[in-house]
């Protein structure tokens, strides 16, 4: 017996997906126009594909039809019902067979059509009894396709979440609606072709498509993997049955969840679960997670989350008092600057340099020591891609908890290729990863020089270590230890300064304020075993130093070394209280839960988290 996850429900468009009703529609539309002396324009049939009847009827009014919208829809409805009753139905290839297989497995089928309920009932009456568990018709929804409302209602009608469903469509408005609702979409375009970006899977027809194959596609494309198992259905199939050919049998053995990092949607219309950055007239930015039934409030009005769903990225939307907001998907840099912090974060300017200077490449195995609040971890995960691995080590459990929650809030689930271990790097790394198997090591910690030996042992020859330190004394101590070890190339040190500019007409000048010093970066590469690094050639000078000189400068070097000299307080790092850390952990977890759709905001919790909220 093989068990695999399949969609919680199948949501079906009707016209052009289940039944080829276009000839009946065109006949009704041509007859109406002819009655008023109007000609059916060439190409009109393709413009109407997938549109709701209200939108189509409004278009006919604009063409000169002297009837109300309700009268136009009423005439079309009567013509369609007569046609369905008098003519042999033209079923779309493979649709009825797939409907029947879903029904036999106990998976709910829901009809989501923009035709009115009378037409939907007439079509359903031609199918075997019980084919559909629920019907959502065009005259029963508040918003027609391409708005996601019909598909959200369809999923709710059988008690499941839309992102746990598969949707079958044939038109761009329909596919857009289903994707905006969070469904995985299989499209079978008819009169109007669709590109691959319009749906998760574009096929010529549903012929030969089995539930097992659908489940495989669903598992591959489903982005909200955090809720797998909550409402997904389990498919049990007998291996080697006589009714399954070899291809079907292969499809039934669905792959386990891949190690790919679940990522937020990077393009396309906004969907429920997406993070959206709303910028008001005064430049004030607020970041929200789109949730069904939720609202964003300011002192000047309100925006319903569902009014944002379905609109393109980088659009302007008005609140109920007419105030305009720019809606954008937050960049990763936006997210890390606004997420809850337990420890000071690595700023985007430094994270970008780390990714570049350390050459963090897709597929790399990266070790990170000092996870902090997870800001750098998110950049590393983005850089290594789904085939790479990030292994993070953090001494403090509170910081690890905040970082995990921030990652869930950003990605919608725990990244499968990210491991967070609580403990000291020197103690945990040797047992966690085999020697010589690591490509890059990033040390963001108080005393990275203490980890030089264990880092060298983990890195493969040519691998890069990059250290992020805050003070000049830490910089000097790190560089000297890397040199003294004899295990690395000569260290390179740098600092990145970014200054913004005010550019407005003839007023072009540097910004008055800037983020000045954040940290220093030290990079070096692991030498092959037994390699002796050539000494740097330099002229003798008065700057040569001894161990005693170093002891005067660095407290744990020289004959009177103070091994306990280095502390967070001594290098000027602010240490947050346990109470504040617990608060930040709860805040990060709340945002993560909202992103995953686990529960609603707690009472009194604002629906938006301001960007650049600070510590």
């Amino acid at each position: 017996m093989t068990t695999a996850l399949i969609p919680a429900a199948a949501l079906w468009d009707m016209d052009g997906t289940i039944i080829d009703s276009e000839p009946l529609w065109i006949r009704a539309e041509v007859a109406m126009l002819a009655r008023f002396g109007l000609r059916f324009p060439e190409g009109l049939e393709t413009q109407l594909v997938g549109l709701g009847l209200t939108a189509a009827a409004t278009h006919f009014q604009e063409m000169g039809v002297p009837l109300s919208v309700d009268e136009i829809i009423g005439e079309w409805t009567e013509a369609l019902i007569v046609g369905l009753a008098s003519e042999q139905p033209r079923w779309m290839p493979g649709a009825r067979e797939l409907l029947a297989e879903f029904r036999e497995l106990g998976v709910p089928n829901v009809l989501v059509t923009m035709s009115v309920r009378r037409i939907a009932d007439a079509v359903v009456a031609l199918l075997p009894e019980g084919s559909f568990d629920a019907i959502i018709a065009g005259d029963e929804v508040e918003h027609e396709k391409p708005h996601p409302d019909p598909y959200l209602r369809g999923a709710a009608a059988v008690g499941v979440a839309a992102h746990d469903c598969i949707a079958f469509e044939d038109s761009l408005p329909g596919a857009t609606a289903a994707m905006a609702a969070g469904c995985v979409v299989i499209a079978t375009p008819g009169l109007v072709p669709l590109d691959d970006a319009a749906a998760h899977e574009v096929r010529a027809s549903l012929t030969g498509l089995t539930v097992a194959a659908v489940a495989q596609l669903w598992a591959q494309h489903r982005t909200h993997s955090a809720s797998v198992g909550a409402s997904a259905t389990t498919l049990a199939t007998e291996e080697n049955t006589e009714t399954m050919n070899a291809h079907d049998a292969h499809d039934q053995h669905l792959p386990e969840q891949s190690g790919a990092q679940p990522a937020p949607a990077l393009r396309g219309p906004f969907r429920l679960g997406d993070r959206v950055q709303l910028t008001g007239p005064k430049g004030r930015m607020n970041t929200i997670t789109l949730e069904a039934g939720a609202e964003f409030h300011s002192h000047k009005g309100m925006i319903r989350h569902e009014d944002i769903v379905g609109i393109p990225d980088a659009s302007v939307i008005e609140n109920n008092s007419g105030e305009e907001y720019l809606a954008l998907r937050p960049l990763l840099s936006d997210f890390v600057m606004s997420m809850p912090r337990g420890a000071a974060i690595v700023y985007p300017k430094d994270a970008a340099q780390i990714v570049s200077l350390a050459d963090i490449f897709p597929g790399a195995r990266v070790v990170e020591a000092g996870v902090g609040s997870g800001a750098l971890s998110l950049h590393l995960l983005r850089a290594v891609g789904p085939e790479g691995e990030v292994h993070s080590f953090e001494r403090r459990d509170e910081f690890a908890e905040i970082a995990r929650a921030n990652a869930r809030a950003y990605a919608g689930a725990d990244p499968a290729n990210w491991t967070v271990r609580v403990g000291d790097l020197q103690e945990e790394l040797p047992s966690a990863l085999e020697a010589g198997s690591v490509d890059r090591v990033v040390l963001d910690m108080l005393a990275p020089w203490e980890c030089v030996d264990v880092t060298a042992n983990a890195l493969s020859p040519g691998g890069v270590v990059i250290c992020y330190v805050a003070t000049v004394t830490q910089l000097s101590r790190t560089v000297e230890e890397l040199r003294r070890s004899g295990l690395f190339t000569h260290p390179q040190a740098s600092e990145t300064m970014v200054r913004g500019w005010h550019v407005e007409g003839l007023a072009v000048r540097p910004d008055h304020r800037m983020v000045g010093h954040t940290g220093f970066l030290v990079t070096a590469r692991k030498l092959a075993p037994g390699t002796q690094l050539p000494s740097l050639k330099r002229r003798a000078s008065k700057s040569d130093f001894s161990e005693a000189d170093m002891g005067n400068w660095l407290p744990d070097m020289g004959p009177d070394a103070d091994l306990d000299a280095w502390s967070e307080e001594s290098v000027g790092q602010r240490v947050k209280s346990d109470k504040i850390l617990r608060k930040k952990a709860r805040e990060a977890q709340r945002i993560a839960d909202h992103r995953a759709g686990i529960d609603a905001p707690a009472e009194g919790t604002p629906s938006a988290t301001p960007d650049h909220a600070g510590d």
Side-chain angles (χ1 to χ4, degrees), residues 311-325:
I311 68 173
D313 196 355
S315 295
V316 172
I317 186 170
E318 293 184 354
N319 65 11
N320 61 341
S321 63
E323 188 174 56
E324 292 184 334
Y325 284 80

Side-chain angles (χ1 to χ4, degrees), residues 253-412:
H253 296 277
L254 303 183
E256 296 180 0
Q257 290 290 328
S258 70
Q261 175 195 1
L266 300 179
R267 61 167 67 92
F270 291 117
R271 302 176 300 186
L272 289 176
D274 280 355
R275 296 278 286 175
V276 179
Q277 180 179 280
L278 295 173
T279 305
K282 294 185 178 180
R284 174 72 174 176
M285 291 184 290
N286 295 275
T287 303
I288 62 175
T289 300
L290 296 181
E291 303 175 44
E295 297 173 342
F296 165 74
H297 288 266
S298 71
H299 68 286
K300 289 190 176 181
M302 173 272 293
I303 298 175
R304 295 173 63 246
H305 286 205
E306 290 175 349
D307 290 337
I308 301 173
V309 172
I311 68 173
D313 196 355
S315 295
V316 172
I317 186 170
E318 293 184 354
N319 65 11
N320 61 341
S321 63
E323 188 174 56
E324 292 184 334
Y325 284 80
L326 175 63
L328 288 166
R329 271 195 178 84
L331 302 176
L332 177 55
S333 58
D334 296 322
F335 179 83
V336 300
M337 293 301 294
S338 64
M339 69 189 192
R341 306 177 192 176
I345 66 167
V346 175
Y347 271 65
K349 71 180 181 70
D350 295 315
Q353 288 287 78
I354 289 171
V355 169
S356 177
L357 293 175
D359 189 25
I360 311 286
F361 57 89
R365 174 180 273 191
V366 178
V367 165
E368 175 196 23
V371 69
S373 300
L376 180 58
S377 306
L378 291 173
H379 284 89
L380 296 176
L381 286 164
R382 172 72 63 81
V384 303
E387 301 304 320
E389 302 172 13
V390 176
H391 297 265
S392 298
F393 296 80
E394 172 55 55
R395 286 180 173 178
R396 301 189 61 171
D397 186 66
E398 307 98 308
F399 290 168
E401 182 181 350
I402 294 170
R404 290 189 188 103
N406 282 330
R408 283 194 295 272
Y410 180 73

Side-chain angles (χ1 to χ4, degrees), residues 4-224:
L5 289 170
I6 60 174
L11 310 181
W12 294 81
D13 173 56
M14 186 177 75
D15 298 298
T17 301
I18 295 175
I19 187 170
D20 182 9
S21 55
E22 291 303 326
L24 298 177
W25 282 107
I26 293 174
R27 187 187 309 162
E29 292 159 356
V30 168
M32 176 177 287
L33 291 175
R35 194 165 90 249
F36 297 104
L38 301 172
R39 183 179 60 85
F40 190 87
E42 183 178 351
L44 178 61
E45 66 276 12
T46 60
Q47 298 178 35
L48 300 178
V49 170
L51 281 184
L53 291 186
T54 300
T58 302
H59 189 63
F60 268 60
Q61 284 182 322
E62 294 170 353
M63 293 170 57
V65 174
L67 299 174
S68 69
V69 168
D70 289 341
E71 289 172 331
I72 293 174
I73 294 175
E75 285 195 21
W76 286 344
T77 300
E78 295 302 327
L80 262 290
I81 291 175
V82 169
L84 289 170
S86 61
E87 298 183 14
Q88 188 72 17
R90 300 169 54 176
W91 302 109
M92 300 303 294
R96 289 186 299 168
E97 293 80 2
L98 193 54
L99 266 169
E101 189 179 355
F102 273 119
R103 185 177 72 251
E104 291 168 4
L105 290 170
V107 179
N109 287 308
V110 181
L111 189 65
V112 182
T113 176
M114 291 300 90
S115 291
V116 297
R117 183 58 179 254
R118 289 182 61 203
I119 297 176
D121 287 341
V123 172
V124 170
L126 301 173
L127 293 164
E129 185 176 356
S131 293
F132 286 99
D133 296 81
I135 299 174
I136 304 297
D139 53 347
E140 299 172 338
V141 297
E142 183 177 352
H143 303 284
E144 297 178 323
K145 301 174 185 178
H147 195 281
D149 181 46
Y151 278 99
L152 294 173
R153 290 173 182 261
V158 289
V160 300
H163 59 247
D164 283 330
C165 299
I166 191 82
F168 298 94
E169 269 288 352
D170 74 308
S171 68
L172 181 59
T176 300
M179 291 186 72
C183 306
V184 172
V185 182
I186 297 177
T188 52
L191 290 175
V192 181
L194 298 177
D195 59 36
D196 292 340
H200 295 94
E201 193 81 16
V202 178
R203 302 171 56 92
S205 75
L206 299 178
T207 301
L209 191 62
T210 64
V211 171
V214 168
Q216 189 173 43
L217 292 172
W218 178 75
Q220 290 171 355
H221 295 292
R222 187 170 184 263
T223 58
H224 295 271

